Amino acid sequence: MSGNTFGKLFSITTCGESHGGAVGVIVDGCPPALELSEQDIQPDLDRRKPGQSSITTPRSEQDTIKILSGVFDGKTTGTPILLLAFNKDVKSEDYHHLKDVFRPSHADFTYRAKYGLRDWRGSGRASARETLARVAAGAIAKKLLREKHSVEILSFVEQVSNLRADVELSSLSLDAIESNIVRCPDHAMAPKMIKLIEEVRDEGDSVGGVICGLIRNVPAGLGEPVFDKISADLGKAMLSINAVKGFEIGSGFAGTLLKGSEHNDPFIPDGQRKIRTSSNRAGGVLGGITTGEDIVFRVAFKPVATIGKEQSTVSAEGTPVKLKASGRHDPCVLPRAVPIVDAMSALVVTDHLLRAAARDLPRGI
Amino acid sequence: MSGNTFGKLFSITTCGESHGGAVGVIVDGCPPALELSEQDIQPDLDRRKPGQSSITTPRSEQDTIKILSGVFDGKTTGTPILLLAFNKDVKSEDYHHLKDVFRPSHADFTYRAKYGLRDWRGSGRASARETLARVAAGAIAKKLLREKHSVEILSFVEQVSNLRADVELSSLSLDAIESNIVRCPDHAMAPKMIKLIEEVRDEGDSVGGVICGLIRNVPAGLGEPVFDKISADLGKAMLSINAVKGFEIGSGFAGTLLKGSEHNDPFIPDGQRKIRTSSNRAGGVLGGITTGEDIVFRVAFKPVATIGKEQSTVSAEGTPVKLKASGRHDPCVLPRAVPIVDAMSALVVTDHLLRAAARDLPRGI
Amino acid sequence: MSGNTFGKLFSITTCGESHGGAVGVIVDGCPPALELSEQDIQPDLDRRKPGQSSITTPRSEQDTIKILSGVFDGKTTGTPILLLAFNKDVKSEDYHHLKDVFRPSHADFTYRAKYGLRDWRGSGRASARETLARVAAGAIAKKLLREKHSVEILSFVEQVSNLRADVELSSLSLDAIESNIVRCPDHAMAPKMIKLIEEVRDEGDSVGGVICGLIRNVPAGLGEPVFDKISADLGKAMLSINAVKGFEIGSGFAGTLLKGSEHNDPFIPDGQRKIRTSSNRAGGVLGGITTGEDIVFRVAFKPVATIGKEQSTVSAEGTPVKLKASGRHDPCVLPRAVPIVDAMSALVVTDHLLRAAARDLPRGI
Amino acid sequence: MSGNTFGKLFSITTCGESHGGAVGVIVDGCPPALELSEQDIQPDLDRRKPGQSSITTPRSEQDTIKILSGVFDGKTTGTPILLLAFNKDVKSEDYHHLKDVFRPSHADFTYRAKYGLRDWRGSGRASARETLARVAAGAIAKKLLREKHSVEILSFVEQVSNLRADVELSSLSLDAIESNIVRCPDHAMAPKMIKLIEEVRDEGDSVGGVICGLIRNVPAGLGEPVFDKISADLGKAMLSINAVKGFEIGSGFAGTLLKGSEHNDPFIPDGQRKIRTSSNRAGGVLGGITTGEDIVFRVAFKPVATIGKEQSTVSAEGTPVKLKASGRHDPCVLPRAVPIVDAMSALVVTDHLLRAAARDLPRGI
């Protein structure tokens, strides 16, 4: 109810602040007998961690994950799985000067308005460090989807500022995404994006962009009509990520420019007595339920709020002050956000798979 | 869990199909002692009802709402409120030819994939008639917000196909929105939009567009950090409406083109010892919590899937067939969707107001 | 959140007051393709309805149920099912003298304390008429359990005041329960119970008692460990029924008098490579999960609060007043409560069956 | 959904097995600005810990609690609080011989039926060690209730086997409860109970009993009518504790022997324009909502399933085997269960206080 739980059947409850004791997550509802170790989770955290390349924050955080419950003899037992990463690189004093200042476009002011007090060390709970818990939990969901259902989840950086990649989704691979530090599989565009981010970094500024999400091999029939459309749940999942300002599925905002006769996806017979659509402007979802085609969506990230340039703001008392960040921020959050988008995709799809299983019961009998 | 409930403290559970007995909603969690009668609800339903103008479907449905519980002596009692609209204009035979055909970009195929069977009369539960229940429940939320908290909720048609209105949000009024049948307060653009919709209607085609939502006078501090950010909940609310393919808040997708130094909203002192921002690219939300500035968002609607032109599709057996709609569809759903967007806004804000109240308890003591 | 919803996957949301427009329930999560008509539901309502015998209230209420959504062509569609019984025998004026009086051991005072106002007509939402919705929804769950899973649910009156029946559970049948108006299958004890209730009725007084619940053929493995033990969910279900003051499962309170060596149920091999227990003091549940043995529990009902004898109480202003009920009450609620206990049993077991199905997913693959 | 979360607004999610890495709990929804440190929590854990007296298990576990998030500068921040106790006294090999045996009246068999596999070390998740997390979370709730609302929560051992204490609730104090190791405030009966437990321990057997729960100074008006009656939520809370087989509130099962005229609690005017009842057979709850009188309930615990005597059971393959526990068990769980009952009481009342606060919103304006 306080918004720290996500998912209904495969559900995660996260905790932890930037500079508290630990960031953690309880994964509840994971089916038993899934082989699981910390090695299944760490690689996704490494894709998210700070300091991984020249275009991310130089902060060094190891983000080592520990499994503290729910796994026995190398397998999940069906009981809740506690994943924990202890906080290490704690320099709270770096933030002491921000104790009574509201940084522009950060959550300092709104947390204060909401709670009456706030943990001012490194943004506290509003820090993107919270997403570590999502990525750790998402790694379990991804493994379950991959091994038990052959579902594949891939996201990549499609746009940085006004630089837009041209990517053929049908041939997209994780290798292509991971082949450069900006996680853009368009090999011509990636170096331009990296150069732009470096320039912006050197100016003490930041840029935003768009991540494209792709989910392959989802069975038709997932999603609940009306409020829990899988598209609505994906939208909520992505809009809950720090810095996200927009979400669209399939044709999205561009689709509003088409006529119905141009936008509709014709159904066609497919070889194996299956039915497909010859185009996929729907983005894999009709009426909130999956069609079996690829789920395709886009997520808009605003430029990082922390910048090195001097800015005007006010103190908690309402006095105007000048502010200049000390420096260890990401000039562009998108490369590190790719595994976060992946994780949220995996959590949504896994949850809806379990929900579908519950409904199927009497049909199977 | 089956996705027919929305909201946690002010929660609605809806039911009903296009051609079943009734469409209804149980509103649970409405505080007691709110004056309420059917006259508070009917006007919003009239803004949503078919046949209201030359650019909506000519189907005639009265959508008369009845309050069947939860109100006594003209006031809410705190117990669940049942609102019901019986179905009348039932011509199921109109749909009989669609029994075994999957209409392109409709939910016929996905419902069949999900449930194994479907109510094929007028799209069944996937019909936009379901949104009647949202609008009815939303009218209660709007009244509560207006009377108890002075929150004002206004949405309008900002774009139809490529025609984009120019609207000054600070002077926007309900009268301006209701001054024309397309519900666009830009008096120069509205007639062009209407003309375009009429042309498209006469072609047997359809168009999409964008609704802009505005919520004024929301107190700072609403919204739960992490997963239940108020922006994420608004996004889910809007993406759960039929035909919606995109959502953005504040600067949205356009904000990805700005640098941090251009995008950040500076905090400034306001006369009454208050703090405001001098710009509002955040759209009224930082870190998922309201700033007290206007909440501004945009919702993308695809063109209506039902068109009069002949289309290719397949039958339930997978055989290719030709399909041509019989006619009583909306050429553009946006004018009638405005009250639906309003309703979902009201439901989200009311729910978060009650959630904030729960948390405030110990501070008030 | 306001406590009008029960169940997580097979969930019901009820509404309605004693003298409002209707009592209703939305059943959400019922699997598709279950054959269902009003004739499947009405018989259970008839077992609950007032005026059915000489030992129930003489109020005449027909309680005719209507299905208004979620069923098409005689089958459930997987969408929410709205069941409604319109209120008829409305003599609100009978209650007008109670408008400002707090009847002893009724909820008048607590509703006023909670909501600040109350619907004083026939107890409003606190009326046992609310249980009509539970019985209607429970009839669907019972049908699903019976037809798809061969689960049988039987409850009976085991004790009225100090008269305690002696019933052999292994041979219990619905016919035996329904063979007399007090719904006690002990043919020697039933007439004594009836006579006692008649005497108490003639005195203008009331009596309480115990209902024993039995659930047969539940598969082993249902129930969630820790908080949602199936025994805990059954307990909550029963304790949520009007007038219930106690619940015990298996050996219950009497089991506290035994030593561990006397209380433990030994496991024994069963013919078909199955494992059973040779006794069932557990009542069919170990660690909150079903063993596959019969679930057996007991529910204590206090004597009906409405009595014909004069009582002392206070008005809403706190002035002492004398009160005497006008008469149309049940001298003993137990015979009519039997189908309510059945319904709550069915709802709990169905919900846990669906929850188990969700978890089984990956094992089935 | 998997039953590891309890509470709706003040909610806890627990994790951990007897011999895994840790037992933990995320407390979500705790209001901000409550002073909190580990010293507020540890005393309750010490009341629950093994080895605390001659009548509890001799296992030595320190159960040291750590706060890892949600507290800053000695105060809660409103964000989730992670409490963790690392497991130490791990002798998994002690349990190796139980790997393939189903101990009578334990959850070994049902976990296996449910999950297909189980963590056999020390009962895994079914171990009463799980209640450590409840007690830790409950300590926060108790502090909030005590400091902000003056609510007092006291439980005590009322019955061990057939030895029943005589306790005057109106003068009950924590000191009286803690004055002896069996936690029974009847000074004449406590030594008899201790002697009985010692005798049973020496026989290698175990006994059960009854804990009486008392909650003082709860405001009138808490609880949701219909399904979430506070009595039903208390019942579920208690029935979710290991080894609990029964729950009753107020007059409970004994109340079924009274007539309505004997059972009803008359309302009387109280000095300060307040209304009270002259008796409290209701146990502080009418219609599921608190009256403002003391909440009084009883909880039945079966005798501990682990005994030193030889028992018959079967292996996982269904072969009959003889079993004899190695020894480190509690002969009577009740003294250590007292703080668990307290914790569950506190969690239920706190949750309902927050729920009431949410509803009060518009009345306060």
Side-chain angles (χ1 to χ4, degrees):
Chain A
M1 188 56 52
S2 298
N4 298 293
T5 298
F6 186 82
K8 297 201 167 173
L9 288 182
F10 190 95
S11 100
I12 68 170
T13 301
T14 72
C15 62
E17 289 84 35
S18 181
H19 288 67
V23 169
V25 56
I26 295 178
V27 179
D28 202 11
C30 183
L34 178 73
E35 292 192 10
L36 188 71
S37 76
E38 284 138 0
Q39 284 68 51
D40 293 310
I41 300 170
Q42 195 62 49
D44 277 335
L45 290 185
D46 292 344
R47 295 175 78 206
R48 195 212 73 96
K49 78 174 175 185
Q52 64 182 267
S53 77
S54 64
I55 57 171
T56 65
T57 168
R59 281 199 317 276
S60 163
E61 296 170 13
Q62 282 314 313
D63 297 348
T64 307
I65 205 72
K66 292 284 169 204
I67 299 176
L68 287 169
S69 72
V71 175
F72 174 61
D73 256 0
K75 289 181 182 163
T76 59
T77 60
T79 60
I81 303 166
L82 172 61
L83 305 177
L84 213 63
F86 290 95
N87 287 334
K88 282 193 188 135
D89 183 28
V90 186
K91 297 194 185 169
S92 298
E93 60 271 30
D94 285 6
Y95 295 90
H96 204 272
H97 67 291
L98 297 174
K99 185 165 142 26
D100 295 315
V101 176
F102 296 141
R103 290 169 298 163
S105 297
H106 273 275
D108 303 340
F109 172 70
T110 54
Y111 266 62
R112 175 68 171 265
K114 179 176 183 63
Y115 297 112
L117 53 78
R118 71 186 174 92
D119 180 348
W120 44 261
R121 300 166 304 169
S123 297
R125 181 79 175 139
S127 164
R129 186 161 173 76
E130 167 264 316
T131 59
L132 185 163
R134 307 180 184 220
V135 172
I140 301 178
K142 280 171 67 181
K143 186 166 202 245
L144 186 70
L145 289 174
R146 188 173 60 240
E147 297 191 355
K148 304 286 180 180
H149 304 281
S150 305
V151 172
E152 188 180 22
I153 288 178
L154 292 173
S155 313
F156 61 91
V157 175
E158 189 179 47
Q159 184 196 315
V160 172
S161 191
N162 64 346
L163 300 174
R164 188 178 184 91
D166 185 16
V167 175
E168 177 52 55
L169 294 184
S170 63
S171 59
L172 182 66
S173 71
L174 181 60
D175 281 352
I177 295 168
E178 294 297 307
S179 66
N180 58 66
I181 58 174
V182 76
R183 294 201 166 90
C184 173
D186 176 339
H187 299 308
M189 188 54 76
K192 296 180 191 168
M193 289 175 170
I194 294 169
K195 183 154 173 288
L196 175 63
I197 296 171
E198 289 171 341
E199 286 168 8
V200 162
R201 178 197 63 197
D202 296 344
E203 289 170 27
D205 215 331
S206 67
V207 279
V210 174
I211 287 178
C212 177
L214 174 69
I215 312 176
R216 281 184 183 143
N217 209 27
V218 180
L222 294 197
E224 301 295 327
V226 190
F227 301 114
D228 293 354
K229 290 177 164 76
I230 198 167
S231 40
D233 278 356
L234 279 169
K236 172 165 174 164
M238 300 307 155
L239 287 156
S240 79
I241 300 172
N242 305 39
V244 171
K245 303 301 282 183
F247 172 85
E248 60 181 18
I249 188 155
S251 63
F253 280 88
T256 65
L257 303 175
L258 300 177
K259 291 186 182 174
S261 58
E262 298 163 334
H263 189 274
N264 285 354
D265 298 312
F267 286 106
I268 51 168
D270 194 32
Q272 267 70 34
R273 304 200 306 144
K274 258 186 66 185
I275 291 170
R276 297 198 51 181
T277 56
S278 58
S279 55
N280 185 19
R281 277 174 288 268
V285 181
L286 286 176
I289 305 171
T290 54
T291 60
E293 305 296 325
D294 289 351
I295 297 179
V296 183
F297 59 86
R298 283 175 179 79
V299 187
F301 288 79
K302 70 174 186 182
V304 176
T306 305
I307 55 174
K309 295 190 163 178
E310 187 176 84
Q311 299 179 87
S312 296
T313 187
V314 297
S315 72
E317 289 74 38
T319 318
V321 292
K322 293 291 178 189
L323 179 74
K324 199 170 163 178
S326 49
R328 301 190 308 162
H329 67 279
D330 286 277
C332 178
V333 82
L334 279 90
R336 289 179 57 208
V338 164
I340 306 170
V341 169
D342 280 354
M344 297 310 295
S345 289
L347 292 169
V348 169
V349 174
T350 304
D351 195 37
H352 277 283
L353 262 172
L354 296 184
R355 290 167 80 168
R359 173 126 23 183
D360 277 346
L361 173 69
R363 278 203 279 166
I365 288 174
Chain B
M1 189 54 55
S2 297
N4 298 292
T5 297
F6 187 82
K8 297 202 166 170
L9 288 182
F10 190 95
S11 99
I12 68 170
T13 301
T14 72
C15 62
E17 290 85 33
S18 181
H19 289 66
V23 169
V25 55
I26 295 178
V27 179
D28 202 10
C30 184
L34 178 73
E35 292 193 8
L36 188 70
S37 77
E38 285 139 359
Q39 284 70 50
D40 293 310
I41 299 169
Q42 195 62 49
D44 276 336
L45 290 184
D46 292 344
R47 296 176 77 208
R48 195 213 74 98
K49 77 174 174 185
Q52 64 181 269
S53 78
S54 64
I55 56 170
T56 65
T57 168
R59 282 200 316 276
S60 164
E61 296 170 12
Q62 284 312 315
D63 297 348
T64 306
I65 203 74
K66 291 286 170 202
I67 299 176
L68 287 170
S69 72
V71 175
F72 174 61
D73 257 1
K75 288 181 181 163
T76 59
T77 61
T79 60
I81 303 166
L82 173 61
L83 305 176
L84 215 62
F86 290 95
N87 287 334
K88 283 193 186 133
D89 182 29
V90 186
K91 297 193 184 169
S92 298
E93 60 271 30
D94 285 7
Y95 295 89
H96 204 273
H97 67 291
L98 297 175
K99 185 165 144 22
D100 295 314
V101 176
F102 297 140
R103 291 170 296 164
S105 297
H106 273 274
D108 303 340
F109 171 71
T110 53
Y111 266 62
R112 175 68 170 264
K114 178 176 183 63
Y115 297 112
L117 52 77
R118 70 186 175 93
D119 180 348
W120 43 260
R121 301 166 302 168
S123 297
R125 181 78 176 142
S127 165
R129 185 161 173 76
E130 167 264 317
T131 60
L132 185 162
R134 306 181 185 217
V135 171
I140 301 177
K142 279 170 67 180
K143 186 166 203 247
L144 186 71
L145 289 174
R146 190 172 59 239
E147 296 191 357
K148 304 285 179 182
H149 304 281
S150 305
V151 172
E152 189 180 20
I153 288 177
L154 291 172
S155 312
F156 60 92
V157 174
E158 190 179 46
Q159 183 197 317
V160 171
S161 190
N162 64 346
L163 300 174
R164 188 178 184 90
D166 185 16
V167 175
E168 176 52 56
L169 293 184
S170 64
S171 59
L172 181 66
S173 71
L174 181 60
D175 282 354
I177 295 168
E178 292 298 307
S179 67
N180 58 65
I181 58 174
V182 76
R183 295 202 165 92
C184 172
D186 176 339
H187 299 308
M189 188 53 76
K192 297 179 191 168
M193 289 175 171
I194 294 169
K195 184 155 172 290
L196 174 63
I197 296 171
E198 288 171 341
E199 286 169 8
V200 162
R201 176 197 63 199
D202 295 346
E203 290 170 24
D205 216 329
S206 66
V207 278
V210 174
I211 287 178
C212 177
L214 175 69
I215 312 176
R216 280 186 185 142
N217 208 28
V218 179
L222 294 196
E224 301 294 329
V226 190
F227 301 113
D228 293 354
K229 291 178 164 77
I230 198 167
S231 40
D233 278 356
L234 279 169
K236 172 165 175 164
M238 301 307 155
L239 287 157
S240 79
I241 300 172
N242 306 40
V244 171
K245 302 301 283 183
F247 171 85
E248 61 180 17
I249 189 155
S251 63
F253 281 89
T256 65
L257 303 175
L258 299 178
K259 292 185 181 172
S261 58
E262 298 163 334
H263 190 275
N264 284 354
D265 298 312
F267 286 107
I268 52 170
D270 194 32
Q272 266 69 36
R273 305 197 308 144
K274 259 185 64 185
I275 289 168
R276 298 199 51 182
T277 56
S278 58
S279 55
N280 185 19
R281 278 175 286 268
V285 180
L286 285 176
I289 305 172
T290 54
T291 60
E293 305 296 323
D294 289 351
I295 296 178
V296 184
F297 60 86
R298 283 174 180 79
V299 187
F301 287 80
K302 71 176 186 181
V304 176
T306 305
I307 56 175
K309 296 190 162 177
E310 190 176 81
Q311 300 179 87
S312 297
T313 189
V314 297
S315 72
E317 288 75 39
T319 319
V321 293
K322 293 290 178 188
L323 179 75
K324 197 171 163 179
S326 50
R328 300 190 308 161
H329 67 279
D330 286 275
C332 177
V333 82
L334 280 90
R336 289 179 56 207
V338 164
I340 305 169
V341 169
D342 280 354
M344 297 311 294
S345 289
L347 291 169
V348 170
V349 174
T350 305
D351 195 38
H352 277 283
L353 262 172
L354 296 184
R355 290 166 82 168
R359 171 125 26 183
D360 278 346
L361 174 69
R363 277 205 278 165
I365 285 172
Chain C
M1 189 55 51
S2 298
N4 298 292
T5 297
F6 187 81
K8 298 202 167 172
L9 288 182
F10 190 94
S11 100
I12 69 169
T13 300
T14 72
C15 62
E17 290 84 35
S18 181
H19 288 67
V23 168
V25 55
I26 295 178
V27 179
D28 202 11
C30 183
L34 178 73
E35 293 192 9
L36 189 71
S37 77
E38 284 138 0
Q39 284 69 49
D40 292 311
I41 300 169
Q42 195 63 48
D44 276 336
L45 290 184
D46 292 345
R47 295 175 79 207
R48 196 212 72 98
K49 79 173 173 186
Q52 64 182 268
S53 79
S54 64
I55 56 170
T56 65
T57 168
R59 282 199 316 276
S60 163
E61 296 169 13
Q62 284 312 314
D63 297 349
T64 307
I65 204 73
K66 292 284 170 204
I67 299 176
L68 287 170
S69 71
V71 175
F72 174 62
D73 257 0
K75 288 182 181 162
T76 58
T77 61
T79 61
I81 303 167
L82 173 61
L83 305 176
L84 214 62
F86 290 95
N87 287 335
K88 283 191 185 137
D89 182 29
V90 186
K91 296 194 184 168
S92 298
E93 60 272 29
D94 284 7
Y95 295 88
H96 204 272
H97 67 291
L98 296 175
K99 184 165 144 21
D100 295 314
V101 176
F102 297 140
R103 291 169 298 163
S105 297
H106 272 274
D108 303 341
F109 171 70
T110 53
Y111 267 62
R112 175 67 171 266
K114 178 175 183 63
Y115 298 113
L117 52 79
R118 71 185 174 94
D119 180 347
W120 43 261
R121 301 166 303 169
S123 297
R125 181 79 175 141
S127 165
R129 187 163 171 74
E130 167 263 316
T131 60
L132 184 163
R134 305 179 186 219
V135 171
I140 301 178
K142 280 170 67 180
K143 187 167 203 247
L144 185 71
L145 289 175
R146 190 172 60 239
E147 297 192 354
K148 304 284 179 182
H149 304 279
S150 305
V151 172
E152 188 181 22
I153 288 178
L154 292 173
S155 313
F156 60 92
V157 175
E158 189 179 48
Q159 183 197 317
V160 171
S161 192
N162 63 345
L163 300 174
R164 188 178 184 92
D166 185 17
V167 175
E168 176 53 55
L169 293 184
S170 63
S171 60
L172 181 65
S173 71
L174 181 60
D175 281 353
I177 296 168
E178 292 297 307
S179 67
N180 58 66
I181 58 174
V182 76
R183 295 201 166 93
C184 172
D186 176 340
H187 298 308
M189 188 53 76
K192 296 178 191 169
M193 289 175 170
I194 294 169
K195 184 155 172 289
L196 175 64
I197 296 172
E198 288 171 342
E199 286 169 8
V200 162
R201 177 196 64 199
D202 296 344
E203 289 170 25
D205 216 329
S206 67
V207 279
V210 174
I211 287 178
C212 177
L214 175 69
I215 312 176
R216 279 185 186 143
N217 209 27
V218 180
L222 294 196
E224 302 293 330
V226 189
F227 300 113
D228 294 355
K229 290 177 163 76
I230 198 167
S231 40
D233 278 356
L234 279 169
K236 171 162 176 167
M238 300 307 154
L239 287 156
S240 78
I241 300 172
N242 306 40
V244 171
K245 302 300 283 182
F247 171 86
E248 60 180 18
I249 189 154
S251 63
F253 280 87
T256 65
L257 303 175
L258 299 178
K259 290 186 182 174
S261 58
E262 298 163 333
H263 189 275
N264 284 354
D265 298 312
F267 287 106
I268 51 169
D270 194 31
Q272 268 69 33
R273 304 199 310 145
K274 257 185 67 184
I275 290 168
R276 297 200 51 183
T277 57
S278 58
S279 55
N280 185 19
R281 279 175 286 270
V285 181
L286 284 176
I289 306 171
T290 54
T291 60
E293 304 298 322
D294 289 352
I295 297 178
V296 183
F297 60 86
R298 284 175 178 79
V299 188
F301 288 79
K302 71 175 185 180
V304 176
T306 306
I307 56 175
K309 295 190 164 177
E310 190 176 84
Q311 299 180 88
S312 296
T313 188
V314 298
S315 71
E317 288 74 38
T319 318
V321 292
K322 293 291 178 188
L323 180 75
K324 199 171 163 177
S326 48
R328 301 190 308 162
H329 67 279
D330 287 276
C332 178
V333 81
L334 280 91
R336 290 179 57 208
V338 164
I340 305 170
V341 169
D342 280 354
M344 296 311 294
S345 289
L347 292 169
V348 169
V349 174
T350 304
D351 195 37
H352 277 284
L353 262 173
L354 297 184
R355 290 167 79 168
R359 174 125 22 183
D360 277 346
L361 174 67
R363 278 205 278 165
I365 287 173
Chain D
M1 190 56 54
S2 298
N4 298 293
T5 296
F6 186 81
K8 297 201 167 172
L9 288 183
F10 190 95
S11 101
I12 68 169
T13 300
T14 72
C15 62
E17 290 85 34
S18 181
H19 289 67
V23 168
V25 55
I26 295 179
V27 179
D28 202 11
C30 183
L34 178 74
E35 293 192 8
L36 188 71
S37 77
E38 284 139 1
Q39 284 69 49
D40 293 309
I41 300 170
Q42 195 63 49
D44 276 336
L45 290 184
D46 291 344
R47 296 175 78 207
R48 194 211 75 96
K49 77 174 174 186
Q52 64 182 267
S53 78
S54 64
I55 57 170
T56 64
T57 169
R59 281 200 316 276
S60 164
E61 296 170 12
Q62 284 312 316
D63 298 348
T64 306
I65 204 75
K66 292 285 169 202
I67 300 176
L68 287 170
S69 71
V71 175
F72 174 61
D73 256 359
K75 288 181 182 164
T76 59
T77 60
T79 60
I81 302 166
L82 173 61
L83 305 176
L84 213 63
F86 291 95
N87 287 335
K88 283 192 188 138
D89 183 28
V90 186
K91 298 193 185 170
S92 298
E93 60 272 31
D94 285 6
Y95 296 89
H96 204 272
H97 67 292
L98 297 173
K99 185 163 142 27
D100 295 314
V101 176
F102 297 141
R103 291 169 297 163
S105 298
H106 272 276
D108 303 340
F109 171 71
T110 54
Y111 267 62
R112 175 67 172 264
K114 179 177 182 62
Y115 298 112
L117 52 79
R118 70 186 174 92
D119 180 348
W120 43 261
R121 301 167 302 169
S123 297
R125 181 77 176 142
S127 165
R129 185 160 172 76
E130 166 264 315
T131 60
L132 184 164
R134 306 180 184 218
V135 171
I140 301 178
K142 279 171 68 179
K143 186 166 203 246
L144 186 71
L145 289 174
R146 190 172 60 240
E147 296 191 356
K148 305 284 181 181
H149 303 281
S150 305
V151 172
E152 189 180 19
I153 288 178
L154 293 173
S155 312
F156 61 92
V157 174
E158 189 178 46
Q159 185 197 315
V160 172
S161 191
N162 64 346
L163 300 173
R164 189 180 184 91
D166 185 16
V167 175
E168 177 53 55
L169 293 184
S170 63
S171 59
L172 182 65
S173 71
L174 182 61
D175 281 353
I177 296 168
E178 294 296 308
S179 66
N180 57 66
I181 57 175
V182 76
R183 295 202 165 91
C184 172
D186 177 339
H187 299 307
M189 188 54 77
K192 296 179 191 170
M193 290 174 169
I194 294 169
K195 186 156 171 289
L196 175 63
I197 297 172
E198 289 171 340
E199 286 169 8
V200 162
R201 178 197 62 198
D202 296 344
E203 289 170 27
D205 215 329
S206 67
V207 278
V210 174
I211 287 178
C212 176
L214 175 69
I215 312 177
R216 280 185 185 142
N217 209 28
V218 179
L222 294 197
E224 302 294 328
V226 190
F227 301 113
D228 293 355
K229 290 178 165 75
I230 197 167
S231 40
D233 279 355
L234 279 169
K236 171 164 176 165
M238 301 306 154
L239 287 155
S240 78
I241 300 172
N242 306 41
V244 171
K245 302 301 282 184
F247 171 85
E248 60 181 19
I249 189 156
S251 63
F253 280 87
T256 65
L257 303 174
L258 299 178
K259 291 186 181 172
S261 58
E262 298 162 336
H263 190 275
N264 285 354
D265 298 312
F267 286 107
I268 52 169
D270 193 33
Q272 266 69 34
R273 305 199 307 145
K274 260 186 64 185
I275 291 170
R276 298 201 50 182
T277 57
S278 57
S279 55
N280 185 20
R281 279 174 286 270
V285 180
L286 285 176
I289 305 172
T290 55
T291 59
E293 305 297 324
D294 288 351
I295 297 179
V296 182
F297 60 86
R298 282 175 180 79
V299 187
F301 288 79
K302 70 175 185 182
V304 176
T306 305
I307 55 175
K309 296 190 164 177
E310 189 177 82
Q311 300 180 86
S312 296
T313 187
V314 298
S315 72
E317 289 74 39
T319 318
V321 292
K322 292 291 178 189
L323 180 74
K324 198 171 163 179
S326 49
R328 301 190 308 163
H329 68 278
D330 286 276
C332 177
V333 82
L334 280 90
R336 289 179 56 207
V338 164
I340 306 170
V341 169
D342 280 354
M344 296 311 295
S345 289
L347 292 169
V348 170
V349 174
T350 304
D351 195 37
H352 277 284
L353 262 173
L354 297 184
R355 290 166 80 168
R359 173 126 24 185
D360 278 345
L361 173 70
R363 278 206 277 167
I365 287 171

